[in-house]
């Protein structure tokens, strides 16, 4: 439910903070005071189209923010929307905000973070339903009619059985479609996959062969230079020349001199030892270098083989993946696909038998569900007409149109006909209404808006109260065109509706306003030379004076009438509450 509403610089509202209670809240006040502006602000908050004309003159921006408790019945769906965007902060609370800027931009926020307007609308659809002069009506959405009928009919078990079979059928049909497509393309696919797998397998690739092969190729390609360099180093280190002694000879002489020195000066024994170690190390280097020089191979054939191998690896990587591992994985998947294709015919026969059985089972579930809906539709129509009769629409007729859509490829029914079907069944459902006696039934979406529409919405909401999962219902001037007696009936029904929903209602009838668990008076005032809207929660004498004003003027006669009206409403509400408790 809506617990807090903050509005700033919106139309004639400068700044307004409202706290709402559960049950029925009535808004009263003179025409033009700002009651409908408050509803416009709520609609803007829920993602409705808004323009800069709503920004208070002289202000740069308008802001609307609402705090809602998340209803348990819709909690899973709302949490899914929030978690999908990383916006779930508190499991039981959600804050929506909308900012309109004078430059034409509009920002939406959920729990303080900027989101797109679409998400605001999606969340709002689970939180508030507004019925009035400029509304978004969930009941005028034909796609909702079937859902509401199913709730009224308590058809969840039949629908669940149907949908379980339906989803299994779709799974089988999806696999069938994939296999049939593969079968149609099987010959080409088999040739291609077999060629690809054989090409990779014939290369006999090793996962770690590429880098060693590159190193070998480098050595083979530079064999002459490597031999020359190693020989040059050997001459300098160990062999020497006619012109100069080798490093080994010179180091040997130095070591001998230091050895003699250390025999004279014992403190220099370390120098002699270091020289001997250096001489030994140099001998090892010369030995290893000679072995390396002897291993250098001038092998043009092996060089050609290495180049060809690396070229093959590169070609396979370009075709099948960026690494040897990826190429080998491609071959594995190709062989797996070949195996699948080779067994496709057997699997298709098996799946076709499953599909046939599921279609027969689905048809049985569909017809049972349809029959249940048709029986419930009669009871729903009668219940709505009773509510309309109470609301001074005695001549109105209501009906639920249930029909099938023929489809040559549809579900085969017991009578031999075929019908289109989807996840909800075979039925196409739409609510019909004839508001006045003698008029023919017409689709609900085509009836006139206004008070008549609002009363019809109230009748439907009252009848479908268990089916409706939206926690907050708003009715704008539902009393249009009705008198005090019917206004009291409407108030009673709204009060009853408020036991399971939060109901906000704009009204000009004291008989209806008296049923409010909370009555808010909306008035215009002047502040700093500017007109602004103010809202006051009424109680005791202030409420009596407001009701008397609604009766014409604050006179003793009207005050007495207001007191009587309030007492009658409160007494009737107490009786209804007692009955509900039983």
């Amino acid at each position: 439910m809506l617990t807090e509403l903050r509005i700033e610089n919106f139309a004639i509202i400068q700044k307004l903070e409202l706290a709402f209670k559960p049950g029925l809240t009535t808004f009263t006040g003179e025409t033009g005071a700002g009651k409908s502006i408050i509803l416009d602000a709520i609609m803007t908050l829920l993602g409705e189209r808004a323009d800069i004309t709503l920004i208070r003159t002289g202000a740069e921006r308008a802001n609307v923010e609402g705090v809602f408790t998340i209803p348990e019945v819709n909690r899973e769906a709302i949490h899914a929307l929030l978690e999908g965007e990383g916006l779930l902060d508190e499991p039981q609370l959600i804050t929506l905000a909308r900012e309109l800027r004078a430059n034409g931009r509009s920002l939406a926020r959920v729990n303080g973070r900027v989101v797109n307007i679409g998400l605001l609308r999606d969340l709002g659809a689970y939180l508030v339903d507004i019925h009035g002069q400029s509304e978004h009506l969930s009941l005028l959405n034909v796609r909702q009619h079937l859902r509401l009928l199913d709730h009224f009919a308590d058809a969840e078990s039949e629908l669940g059985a149907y949908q379980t079979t339906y989803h299994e059928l779709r799974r089988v049909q999806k696999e069938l479609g994939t296999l049939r497509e593969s079968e149609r393309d099987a010959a080409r696919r088999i040739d291609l996959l077999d060629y690809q797998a054989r090409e990779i397998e014939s290369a006999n690739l090793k996962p770690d062969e590429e880098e060693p092969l590159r190193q070998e190729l480098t050595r083979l390609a530079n064999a002459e230079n490597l031999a020359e360099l190693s020989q040059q180093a050997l001459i300098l280190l160990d062999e020497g020349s006619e012109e100069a002694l080798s490093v080994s000879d010179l180091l040997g002489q130095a070591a001998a001199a230091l050895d003699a020195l250390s025999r004279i000066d014992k403190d220099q024994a370390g120098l002699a030892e270091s020289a001997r170690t250096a001489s030994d190390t140099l001998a090892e280097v010369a030995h290893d270098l000679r072995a390396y020089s002897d291993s250098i191979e001038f092998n043009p054939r092996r060089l050609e083989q290495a180049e060809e191998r690396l070229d093959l690896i590169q070609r396979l990587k370009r075709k099948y993946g960026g690494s040897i591992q990826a190429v080998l994985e491609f071959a594995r998947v190709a062989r797996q696909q070949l195996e699948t294709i080779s067994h496709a015919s057997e699997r298709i026969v098996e799946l076709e038998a499953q599909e046939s059985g599921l279609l027969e089972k689905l048809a049985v579930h569909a017809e049972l569900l349809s029959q249940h809906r048709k029986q419930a539709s009669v009871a729903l129509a009668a219940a709505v007409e009773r509510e309309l009769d109470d609301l001074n629409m005695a001549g109105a007729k209501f009906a639920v149109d249930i029909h099938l859509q023929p489809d040559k490829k549809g579900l085969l029914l017991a009578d031999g006909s075929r019908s289109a079907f989807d996840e909800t069944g075979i039925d196409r459902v739409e609510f019909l209404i004839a508001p006045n006696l003698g008029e023919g039934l017409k689709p609900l979406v085509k009836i006139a808006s206004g008070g008549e529409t609002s009363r019809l919405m109230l009748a439907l909401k009252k009848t479908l109260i268990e089916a409706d999962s939206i926690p907050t219902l708003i009715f704008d001037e539902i009393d249009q065109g009705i008198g005090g007696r019917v206004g009291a009936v409407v108030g009673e029904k709204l009060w009853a509706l408020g036991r399971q929903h939060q109901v906000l209602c704009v009204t000009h009838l004291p008989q209806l306003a008296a049923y409010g668990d909370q009555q808010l008076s909306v008035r215009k005032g002047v502040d700093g030379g500017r007109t602004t809207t103010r809202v006051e929660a009424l109680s005791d004498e202030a409420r009596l004076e407001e009701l008397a004003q609604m009766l014409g003027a604050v006179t003793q006669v009207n005050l007495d009438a207001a007191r009587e009206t309030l007492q009658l409403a409160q007494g009737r509400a107490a009786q209804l509450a007692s009955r509900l408790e039983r």
Side-chain angles (χ1 to χ4, degrees):
M1 59 172 267
L2 176 62
T3 58
E4 298 174 32
L5 180 66
R6 290 180 283 275
I7 307 171
E8 186 176 2
N9 293 326
F10 191 92
I12 62 171
I13 298 175
Q14 181 178 9
K15 190 171 185 179
L16 192 60
E17 295 188 8
L18 300 175
F20 294 100
K21 299 178 180 179
L24 171 61
T25 296
T26 55
F27 290 87
T28 58
E30 295 182 359
T31 300
K35 301 184 295 298
S36 293
I37 292 174
I38 295 173
L39 300 192
D40 288 342
I42 295 175
M43 291 177 67
T44 300
L45 181 64
L46 301 176
E48 286 297 302
R49 185 178 180 86
D51 57 53
I52 61 173
T53 60
L54 292 171
I55 301 174
R56 185 172 170 83
T57 302
E60 288 297 319
R61 63 192 66 193
N63 294 288
V64 185
E65 182 177 272
V67 180
F68 298 82
T69 56
I70 300 177
E72 186 173 352
V73 68
N74 284 334
R75 190 165 296 166
E76 184 177 346
I78 292 174
H79 281 188
L81 285 173
L82 294 175
E83 287 172 346
E85 302 291 336
L87 297 170
L88 182 60
D89 291 342
E90 297 184 49
Q92 296 183 3
L93 286 177
I94 181 174
T95 300
L96 306 184
R98 185 86 179 273
E99 179 182 300
L100 307 181
R101 295 182 177 178
N103 61 10
R105 290 192 62 196
S106 170
L107 293 181
R109 291 186 176 87
V110 173
N111 290 336
R113 275 95 82 190
V114 176
V115 300
N116 61 60
I117 296 294
L119 180 61
L120 212 60
R121 292 193 195 99
D122 291 342
L123 290 168
Y126 288 109
L127 298 169
V128 180
D129 213 353
I130 299 179
H131 306 285
Q133 302 293 331
S134 54
E135 69 247 327
H136 63 83
L137 299 173
S138 67
L139 286 172
L140 295 186
N141 182 349
V142 175
R143 289 176 298 178
Q144 296 291 324
H145 295 181
L146 179 59
R147 180 185 66 82
L148 292 170
L149 175 61
D150 281 344
H151 279 292
F152 179 82
D154 193 21
E156 277 75 12
S157 60
E158 290 92 340
L159 181 60
Y162 172 87
Q163 289 180 335
T164 298
T165 304
Y166 176 85
H167 291 145
E168 177 63 14
L169 173 67
R170 288 299 184 230
R171 185 195 66 77
V172 168
Q173 289 177 331
K174 182 178 180 181
E175 186 178 351
L176 257 177
T178 301
L179 288 175
R180 284 169 177 160
E181 181 66 28
S182 297
E183 190 177 50
R184 284 191 291 271
D185 203 26
R188 185 185 65 80
R189 288 284 294 161
I190 287 173
D191 288 345
L192 177 61
L193 289 170
D194 186 61
Y195 169 80
Q196 292 171 331
R198 286 179 181 277
E199 183 180 28
I200 295 170
E201 291 164 355
S202 65
N204 195 26
L205 296 175
K206 305 292 189 298
D208 300 321
E209 71 171 300
E210 188 173 8
E211 186 55 33
L213 189 60
R214 288 187 181 281
Q215 294 175 4
E216 182 186 5
L217 180 63
T218 300
R219 289 195 300 271
L220 288 169
N222 293 277
E224 184 176 347
N225 192 32
L226 292 173
E228 182 180 339
L229 290 171
S230 60
Q231 188 59 41
Q232 181 182 346
L234 276 172
I235 291 172
L236 292 171
L237 288 174
D238 194 48
E239 296 176 0
S241 63
E242 295 179 359
E243 294 80 10
L245 295 174
S246 69
V247 174
S248 297
D249 291 339
L250 293 172
L251 186 58
Q253 293 176 10
L258 288 172
D259 187 57
L261 184 150
S262 67
R263 283 196 295 273
I264 299 170
D265 185 351
K266 301 296 186 182
D267 291 340
Q268 302 308 313
L271 287 174
E273 180 61 29
S274 295
R276 284 194 296 273
T277 299
S279 181
D280 293 342
T281 300
L282 188 61
E284 290 178 6
V285 171
H287 177 271
D288 292 344
L289 182 57
R290 185 169 286 105
Y292 172 75
S293 179
D294 292 342
S295 72
I296 295 174
E297 183 180 13
F298 296 89
N299 190 339
R301 177 59 183 159
R302 178 55 190 159
L303 174 61
E304 182 180 353
Q305 290 175 344
E307 289 174 338
E308 290 176 352
R309 182 66 175 174
L310 276 173
D311 182 64
L312 173 62
I313 291 172
Q314 291 305 310
R315 282 191 288 107
L316 292 175
K317 284 167 58 177
R318 283 195 298 270
K319 291 174 70 174
Y320 303 117
S323 65
I324 291 179
Q325 287 84 351
V327 174
L328 292 172
E329 176 63 14
F330 189 98
R332 186 193 68 79
V333 172
R335 283 296 178 199
Q336 187 179 61
Q337 291 177 349
L338 280 168
E339 184 72 13
T340 300
I341 292 173
S342 65
H343 292 87
S345 297
E346 300 172 13
R347 181 59 176 160
I348 285 173
V349 172
E350 180 183 338
L351 289 173
E352 285 176 341
Q354 288 185 31
E355 181 187 32
S356 179
L358 286 169
L359 284 168
E360 291 179 6
K361 184 178 179 181
L362 190 67
V364 173
H365 285 314
E367 295 198 80
L368 286 174
L369 177 60
S370 182
Q371 186 60 36
H372 191 94
R373 286 168 172 166
K374 289 172 182 175
Q375 292 172 353
S377 69
V378 176
L380 175 60
V384 171
E385 287 179 359
R386 284 195 297 271
E387 295 293 333
L388 292 174
D389 186 56
D390 289 342
L391 294 169
N392 202 29
M393 293 178 68
K397 295 295 181 183
F398 180 85
V400 181
D401 176 46
I402 301 178
H403 63 276
L404 308 184
Q405 181 179 327
D407 186 343
K408 292 180 180 180
K409 296 182 180 180
L411 201 59
L412 180 61
L413 305 180
D415 62 2
S417 65
R418 288 187 177 274
S419 172
F421 66 101
D422 57 21
E423 190 177 17
T424 64
I426 56 176
D427 299 306
R428 300 293 178 266
V429 173
E430 185 170 8
F431 294 162
L432 305 178
I433 183 72
N436 302 300
L437 186 64
E439 294 182 4
L441 291 164
K442 296 179 182 179
L444 181 62
V445 296
K446 294 183 179 180
I447 67 170
S449 60
E452 192 174 71
T453 303
S454 292
R455 277 180 282 162
L456 176 59
M457 293 304 105
L458 177 57
L460 284 166
K461 289 288 183 183
K462 184 68 168 55
T463 304
L464 298 168
I465 191 168
E466 296 296 336
D468 198 338
S469 59
I470 300 176
T472 299
L473 309 176
I474 299 178
F475 294 90
D476 184 12
E477 299 189 12
I478 193 173
D479 51 17
Q480 185 182 52
I482 63 176
R485 184 185 66 81
V486 178
V489 174
V490 172
E492 181 180 320
K493 292 185 180 297
L494 287 174
W495 184 91
L497 199 57
R499 299 318 96 191
Q500 292 181 278
H501 298 262
Q502 180 189 44
V503 181
L504 310 181
C505 177
V506 173
T507 181
H508 294 284
L509 286 178
Q511 293 86 352
L512 193 162
Y515 275 89
D517 299 289
Q518 178 184 34
Q519 183 173 341
L520 301 179
S521 175
V522 183
R523 294 186 177 90
K524 283 195 297 188
V526 177
D527 187 4
R530 301 272 317 265
T531 300
T532 189
T533 294
R534 299 180 180 133
V535 178
E536 177 186 359
L538 302 177
S539 60
D540 302 330
E541 290 301 316
R543 187 172 189 184
L544 287 176
E545 289 182 4
E546 179 80 0
L547 293 174
Q549 186 68 48
M550 295 172 74
L551 287 168
V554 182
T555 64
Q556 189 58 49
V557 171
N558 285 340
L559 282 170
D560 292 341
R563 185 175 288 104
E564 182 180 0
T565 298
L566 189 59
Q567 290 173 348
L568 286 172
Q570 292 174 342
R572 181 59 181 156
Q575 292 175 5
L576 291 171
S578 177
R579 187 184 304 169
L580 289 173
E581 289 176 1
R582 292 199 298 269

